Amino acid sequence: MKLTVVGSGYVGLVTGVCFAEVGHDVVCVDTDASKIAMLRDNVPPIYEPGLEELLKRNAAHERLNFTTKLAEALPDSAAVFIAVGTPEGEDGSSDLRYVKAVATEIGRLAVASLLVVVKSTVPVGTCDMVEAAIEAELAKRFPVGNGSKPKPRVRVASNPEFLKEGTAIDDFMKPDRIVTGVTDPESAAIFLEMYAPFVQDDPSRLQVIERRSSEMTKYAANAMLATRISFMNELSRLCEVVGANIDDVRRGIGSDGRIGKKFLYAGPGYGGSCFPKDVEALLSTAQQNNCELTVLKAVSHANKMQKMHVARKIHSHFGGDLKGRKIAVWGLAFKPGTDDVREAPALTILSALVNWGAEVVAHDPVAQKTFSQAWEQAGMKPSQILYMEDSYDALDGADALILLTEWPEYKRPSWTRIRSLLRTPAVFDLRNQYPYKALADAGFHYECVGRPDSRTGNNGGESRPGPEGRPS
Ligand SMILES: NC(=O)c1ccc[n+]([C@@H]2O[C@H](COP(=O)([O-])OP(=O)(O)OC[C@H]3O[C@@H](n4cnc5c(N)ncnc54)[C@H](O)[C@@H]3O)[C@@H](O)[C@H]2O)c1
């Protein structure tokens, strides 16, 4: 099938390469000419494991093309995916201007029957808006009763995306489920044809529901996952006070089949391009409809508190005075496996440290460039953070190490080397990766999240395993 994907970011690009990988003929469109130029040179503009290989292979087989002009892609496409950004607006609602712009352009260009698929995360009712925007343009081009060509039939469907950055290709190629929201059987049939290669072993994984329910499902999924994280973060604060270990509690409840193991890790708060904005957008939808979501309000509040709670641990350790303190930071991305720093806890925590007078030296294997851009966009000065190419260089003469993102390369560091580089041996493990006992024995002051640490003197137990169930 010939498919067009509009928006070549984390979602659009992964969607495009994965559809091409199963044999569809795909054109990816983006208004950002520099992105399209990179993609034409087989260079992915984002970091996502496995993406480059798929990009090169499918471009070489001419199943994958790139353009800045929708007009070049649309005419003979069976379906066009809208995968542009839906950032948080000033009032917390979802900013739909990019979605609307694409819908209007489709209305101006459509010449034959077409399925428009809204893949961006959008509030309930957005498919109706997209349909109205397209129809308004079509009505101008195909006025009733003037004997001109018949108006093309343009159907609009919802198909939210559930991929997780860092494992996006795998998530797309082997989905738990594909949710589609349609208004007619013809749209459902097109979805089946497009997605058949991804659900061959179990076609029931392609769920066909109503459009509004499909739009709501995406928000419900992210709100549920954010709720689990905020709940565990709140409990971790209580564990710290009463002397319990949140990781033992997590194992205890996660092995209950009704609860499950994923998204139960205490840490510095959830971040990323989805959870924060989607929680706020759902709250905004509720407010517009006079329906109070008290649980979700608390989830958002607890997350903001958690970021400052962990920042204050560092502040308190240095007696409330960070002037002249050099703090080394390992990890800036909101989770391992991505260079995405949108709403990363690092942004809030490092801003607080800098405002309290600390000098920050940071390392991240892939997110230093995106972080420095986001730091400036947040109105901070580039000179406030020094970036190091080598993780150990960041530690030289520092008063503390903060682990903020659990990249694999930080999991088993040389504590002897760390001890020799730090000016004062303090470690703030905001991802509960390191064992307290070994660090205490090596003479470190060690603090973590919701587990016993140097302040309580109990055994902090084992380090925790891989990045099971991290936010998308
Ligand atoms: N990033 C994720 O992990 C993830 C997961 C699931 C869903 N989503 C949702 O998917 C959507 C896209 O997210 P993303 O992270 O890929 O965003 P992104 O910012 O990485 O990419 C969006 C792209 O759209 C392009 N664009 C904007 N207007 C355009 C237009 N008129 N024509 C063509 N291109 C245009 C931008 O230049 C940009 O490259 C959002 O609604 C997001 O909430 C994201």
Side-chain angles (χ1 to χ4, degrees):
M1 281 176 100
K2 178 145 188 222
L3 307 176
T4 295
V5 183
V6 187
S8 304
Y10 289 88
V11 166
L13 189 53
V14 169
T15 301
V17 297
C18 291
F19 273 134
E21 180 69 7
V22 298
H24 294 309
D25 189 2
V26 180
V27 182
C28 290
V29 183
D30 204 290
T31 42
D32 184 336
S34 62
K35 245 181 210 182
I36 293 299
M38 287 176 79
L39 288 164
R40 282 180 171 158
D41 286 340
N42 287 336
V43 180
I46 52 165
Y47 175 80
E48 186 60 46
L51 180 63
E52 189 167 359
E53 190 194 327
L54 260 62
L55 172 63
K56 284 186 175 151
R57 183 165 55 237
N58 288 291
H61 286 110
E62 295 182 1
R63 288 193 296 261
L64 186 59
N65 288 288
F66 299 96
T67 178
T68 52
K69 294 189 178 65
L70 183 57
E72 287 175 6
L74 201 66
D76 46 347
S77 283
V80 53
F81 285 78
I82 303 181
V84 295
T86 48
E88 189 177 328
E90 279 186 4
D91 58 355
S93 66
S94 180
D95 181 348
L96 295 174
R97 83 178 82 163
Y98 305 107
V99 173
K100 180 139 194 232
V102 178
T104 304
E105 208 182 346
I106 292 171
R108 286 185 190 142
L109 295 169
V111 286
S113 109
L114 181 68
L115 178 67
V116 175
V117 182
V118 180
K119 193 165 250 322
S120 300
T121 302
V122 292
V124 173
T126 303
C127 282
D128 298 346
M129 179 276 278
V130 166
E131 198 166 75
I134 294 170
E135 287 303 324
E137 292 303 318
L138 288 176
K140 290 183 205 162
R141 292 170 53 217
F142 301 93
V144 185
N146 79 341
S148 65
K149 281 193 249 165
K151 188 167 71 129
R153 172 82 199 266
V154 179
R155 299 178 170 90
V156 178
S158 158
N159 172 217
E161 182 50 57
F162 298 97
L163 61 77
K164 301 182 291 300
E165 289 176 17
T167 54
I169 302 284
D170 233 34
D171 292 341
F172 199 97
M173 297 301 286
K174 293 178 246 162
D176 293 336
R177 77 311 201 184
I178 295 163
V179 173
T180 64
V182 302
T183 51
D184 57 283
E186 290 82 1
S187 301
I190 297 173
F191 272 119
L192 190 58
E193 203 180 331
M194 287 190 294
Y195 278 115
F198 304 95
V199 293
Q200 245 159 5
D201 55 332
D202 178 9
S204 69
R205 281 187 291 138
L206 180 68
Q207 300 174 9
V208 182
I209 56 178
E210 297 206 332
R211 275 194 328 204
R212 285 179 172 245
S213 308
S214 170
E215 291 169 330
M216 179 61 100
T217 301
K218 173 65 193 178
Y219 283 105
N222 278 356
M224 171 66 86
L225 297 171
T227 301
R228 287 168 71 97
I229 294 172
S230 271
F231 175 72
M232 292 305 279
N233 282 338
E234 283 216 313
L235 277 191
S236 79
R237 294 205 289 272
L238 185 59
C239 284
E240 286 173 5
V241 183
V242 299
N245 181 331
I246 194 69
D247 275 353
D248 290 341
V249 174
R250 172 179 56 78
R251 277 189 286 271
I253 62 171
S255 47
D256 183 329
R258 295 168 302 176
I259 295 172
K261 294 187 162 98
K262 295 184 177 173
F263 285 79
L264 291 179
Y265 289 93
Y270 60 76
S273 64
C274 294
F275 287 9
K277 85 168 170 63
D278 292 350
V279 164
E280 296 312 317
L282 191 52
L283 283 170
S284 169
T285 299
Q287 195 187 12
Q288 284 163 22
N289 290 281
N290 296 319
C291 176
E292 200 181 0
L293 297 184
T294 53
V295 172
L296 208 55
K297 266 189 195 164
V299 167
S300 169
H301 179 65
N303 195 52
K304 287 171 189 141
M305 272 176 68
Q306 187 68 6
K307 292 179 188 176
M308 288 314 291
H309 171 72
V310 295
R312 278 194 208 98
K313 280 174 184 267
I314 300 149
H315 190 239
S316 319
H317 172 68
F318 290 106
D321 186 8
L322 286 174
K323 285 192 193 70
R325 296 291 183 177
K326 185 168 160 184
I327 308 290
V329 175
W330 278 2
L332 298 166
F334 83 96
K335 67 171 183 176
T338 183
D339 60 350
D340 200 341
V341 300
R342 289 177 278 186
E343 299 286 334
L347 284 166
T348 308
I349 294 166
L350 268 52
S351 302
L353 297 179
V354 163
N355 289 335
W356 289 327
E359 204 185 303
V360 173
V361 188
H363 175 266
D364 188 288
V366 301
Q368 289 183 186
K369 190 169 159 213
T370 47
F371 191 86
S372 63
Q373 288 162 350
W375 185 255
E376 273 195 77
Q377 274 161 18
M380 304 298 285
K381 293 192 196 91
S383 59
Q384 288 166 323
I385 300 182
L386 189 61
Y387 299 92
M388 290 293 171
E389 287 308 312
D390 182 90
S391 56
Y392 286 95
D393 287 348
L395 304 173
D396 197 7
D399 293 289
L401 163 64
I402 307 176
L403 178 76
L404 255 173
T405 316
E406 68 280 37
W407 283 97
E409 70 173 84
Y410 303 144
K411 280 181 186 276
R412 289 289 177 273
S414 161
W415 293 108
T416 319
R417 199 168 162 201
I418 293 174
R419 180 78 182 78
S420 71
L421 287 167
L422 288 177
R423 183 162 61 189
T424 58
V427 174
F428 294 87
D429 173 7
L430 305 185
R431 297 288 182 179
N432 288 358
Q433 293 292 305
Y434 305 133
Y436 159 68
K437 202 159 178 5
L439 271 90
D441 290 349
F444 285 94
H445 170 87
Y446 173 76
E447 291 192 42
C448 45
V449 183
R451 299 193 308 177
D453 55 32
S454 295
R455 294 161 309 146
T456 55
N458 298 325
N459 185 345
E462 62 193 277
S463 63
R464 73 184 190 184
E468 176 186 295
R470 291 253 150 263
S472 74

